[in-house]
Amino acid sequence: MASLYPPLNVLFLMSDVGGGHRAAARAIAGALRQLRGDQVNSIIVDLMADYLPWPLNGLPRTYSPLIRYAHPLHGLAWHLGCRPPVAKTLLELLDMVFSPGVRRCYTRYRPDAVISVHPMMVHAPLRVLREMGYTVPFMTVVTDLVSMFPTWFCPQVDACVVPTPAAAQAARHLGMPAERVKVLGQPIDLRFREYLHQFPLPDDRRAARAALGLRPDLPTILLVSGGEGMGPLAEVAQAIDAQRLATQLVIICGRNESLQQALRERSWTLPVRVEGFIENMAAWMAASDCIVTKAGPGTIAEAMAMGLPILLFSYILGQEEGNVAYVVENGLGAYTPEPTAAAALLGDWLSDGQERLLRMRRQCQRLARPNAALDIARTVLDLVSRRERVRIFRAAARSDDRGRDAAFWRNLGA
Ligand code: UDP
């Protein structure tokens, strides 16, 4: 039934640095759509690219080269930024830089709720929101699993959603009131749940492979390295190829176009499929037996949901350091940075009757939270409706049309 009131504007603040922030925002937006259809209007904004002045609006474009060519510098900056005096200065700087753009963004979209999925976009956007007189809920969704940058946490937010108990502990340690910290998991696209239902058994992978034009009969290794296709992806691919395993290899290069082209031009021993940025990761994961990846939190959470054992070959210094221990200590996979050793380990995994793969697969599914996006979306709606109840009650009281009143409450699900 069509709503009698304008849709709720839910504004997501993020930036396209890596693929994880947009993926998280999209996942929650998808869940809101599933729960409330067009009663919710999700707006995903790259605050850096679209609202910072030149040349600062070019910062997202510097992320990929920074990680590729000056990785230690990024790691150093991350660790320095965790020190309280530096974090404080950084917050002051971010406040100065972001405030005018955030103000324009709020004026344009008039949000009914704001969700930040980026650690640089919490304190200043919340301060500006309140300063502008908005009393709408502001929520943070932390998209790192273990290693926390302190600017993620601002005790004044209405809710702070974190993916793991370790992240919750960090949040409380940094002064977040315990009742506002919610451990709901990493938000992943609802399509992962759909693929899980469609292909629930290991044997179903044959059908998933056929649907992608892969050889249905061959075990499949999925090689990926975040949205930017960073790190020694080519070296790892070459080492796997050299092992001559009885498998096929899918290489996802993300937005790294030069790598994609180089890998397409190379000749391979194994059946190899090279893709650029794919929009349906769930389909590729459903077709695979294990994943070889850098330690990106989004990819790890997605692989866990799909029961895919995880072989990590690299991680981004700083924010992804804790993810390595998370995968290894929880029995979800292994970490082997040396390409030849990684390829040899894959050979072991795939050749011992797949017993080890099965154990890791079960462990992944035991710890996965494929419903996280829905749980987060419900939290958003709950926060909005708690505030909305007063406004709604007043609006309803002004109307003498009881039918409209009843429909409104029904639509709201209150
Ligand atoms: N991703 C995608 N298509 C690609 C490569 C990656 O949709 O071709 C998605 C992937 O499924 C995940 C996100 O991008 O949701 C990557 O997030 P992660 O946290 O793993 O790494 P980041 O790119 O943020 O460093």
Side-chain angles (χ1 to χ4, degrees):
M1 181 190 293
S3 172
L4 301 171
Y5 289 82
L8 292 173
N9 283 339
V10 176
L11 178 65
F12 291 85
L13 305 180
M14 50 72 69
S15 185
D16 278 316
V17 286
H21 299 294
R22 184 173 288 276
R26 274 188 178 170
I28 303 166
L32 284 167
R33 199 176 322 110
Q34 172 136 330
L35 293 174
R36 289 297 165 85
D38 56 13
Q39 291 175 29
V40 174
N41 178 28
S42 292
I43 305 142
I44 301 178
V45 165
D46 186 328
L47 208 51
M48 281 194 200
D50 297 340
Y51 286 90
L52 287 188
W54 184 88
L56 295 173
N57 60 354
L59 279 175
R61 284 198 303 278
T62 64
Y63 180 74
S64 180
L66 176 70
I67 297 291
R68 219 172 286 168
Y69 305 115
H71 191 191
L73 195 66
H74 171 84
L76 184 69
W78 192 93
H79 283 284
L80 275 177
C82 288
R83 297 191 178 178
V86 184
K88 190 167 172 290
T89 310
L90 178 65
L91 281 175
E92 284 163 6
L93 205 67
L94 290 172
D95 196 272
M96 206 166 68
V97 165
F98 274 119
S99 294
V102 172
R103 202 164 280 123
R104 275 187 290 122
C105 183
Y106 292 155
T107 305
R108 177 169 179 193
Y109 293 114
R110 309 180 65 78
D112 295 292
V114 181
I115 304 177
S116 172
V117 294
H118 195 288
M120 305 292 177
M121 299 169 190
V122 181
H123 292 249
L126 176 59
R127 188 188 62 69
V128 172
L129 190 73
R130 297 295 176 242
E131 200 179 88
M132 289 175 77
Y134 284 95
T135 55
V136 302
F138 188 105
M139 182 165 137
T140 317
V141 177
V142 174
T143 59
D144 285 315
L145 300 177
V146 182
S147 307
M148 293 298 140
F149 201 63
T151 57
W152 270 121
F153 303 114
C154 175
Q156 283 79 37
V157 299
D158 298 289
C160 174
V161 172
V162 294
T164 59
Q169 203 179 354
R172 287 193 295 267
H173 180 70
L174 285 167
M176 283 297 309
E179 69 280 5
R180 291 194 209 156
V181 179
K182 298 174 194 306
V183 188
L184 298 180
Q186 184 90 350
I188 62 169
D189 200 294
L190 294 184
R191 281 177 297 176
F192 287 92
R193 271 167 33 116
E194 288 159 20
Y195 272 90
L196 218 50
H197 289 137
Q198 201 181 338
F199 303 109
L201 301 171
D203 277 353
D204 295 334
R205 281 194 290 261
R206 286 171 172 267
R209 284 174 200 142
L212 292 168
L214 296 171
R215 276 193 43 188
D217 56 314
L218 278 182
T220 304
I221 298 169
L222 184 63
L223 178 56
V224 53
S225 194
E228 311 289 343
M230 58 184 66
L233 205 64
E235 291 83 344
V236 176
Q238 206 163 6
I240 295 172
D241 192 49
Q243 284 281 315
R244 296 170 185 269
L245 305 169
T247 59
Q248 59 194 332
L249 176 63
V250 175
I251 311 171
I252 309 286
C253 301
R255 285 187 276 263
N256 192 338
E257 285 171 15
S258 55
L259 177 71
Q260 184 192 349
Q261 195 179 341
L263 294 184
R264 284 219 163 125
E265 284 165 6
R266 191 172 287 182
S267 59
W268 302 92
T269 315
L270 298 181
V272 170
R273 176 85 164 261
V274 179
E275 294 285 328
F277 192 92
I278 47 146
E279 291 291 347
N280 55 346
M281 185 62 85
W284 294 94
M285 286 195 179
S288 301
D289 291 77
C290 61
I291 184 166
V292 185
T293 176
K294 86 169 174 74
T299 306
I300 290 173
E302 292 162 358
M304 286 167 69
M306 300 301 282
L308 272 192
I310 304 163
L311 178 53
L312 299 176
F313 64 84
S314 76
Y315 59 87
I316 296 180
L317 289 171
Q319 73 256 34
E320 289 181 357
E321 286 172 15
N323 300 353
V324 174
Y326 180 81
V327 165
V328 175
E329 286 167 13
N330 283 306
L332 313 172
Y335 169 60
T336 311
E338 208 283 305
T340 314
L345 184 61
L346 277 177
D348 290 348
W349 281 7
L350 290 161
S351 66
D352 67 354
Q354 303 210 353
E355 261 310 302
R356 248 192 295 176
L357 280 184
L358 203 64
R359 265 203 313 276
M360 291 185 281
R361 172 179 271 269
R362 284 203 203 100
Q363 192 62 1
C364 281
Q365 283 171 326
R366 199 173 70 78
L367 294 181
R369 301 191 71 151
N371 297 327
L374 282 170
D375 293 339
I376 296 169
R378 286 193 191 98
T379 305
V380 178
L381 293 171
D382 186 48
L383 280 175
V384 173
S385 75
R386 257 190 268 159
R387 174 184 171 275
E388 286 291 277
R389 267 171 233 268
V390 177
R391 187 183 70 79
I392 290 157
F393 183 75
R394 287 188 187 138
R398 276 199 298 275
S399 162
D400 52 7
D401 183 341
R402 283 179 171 275
R404 270 178 58 146
D405 186 17
F408 183 76
W409 284 94
R410 205 169 43 247
N411 283 347
L412 197 80

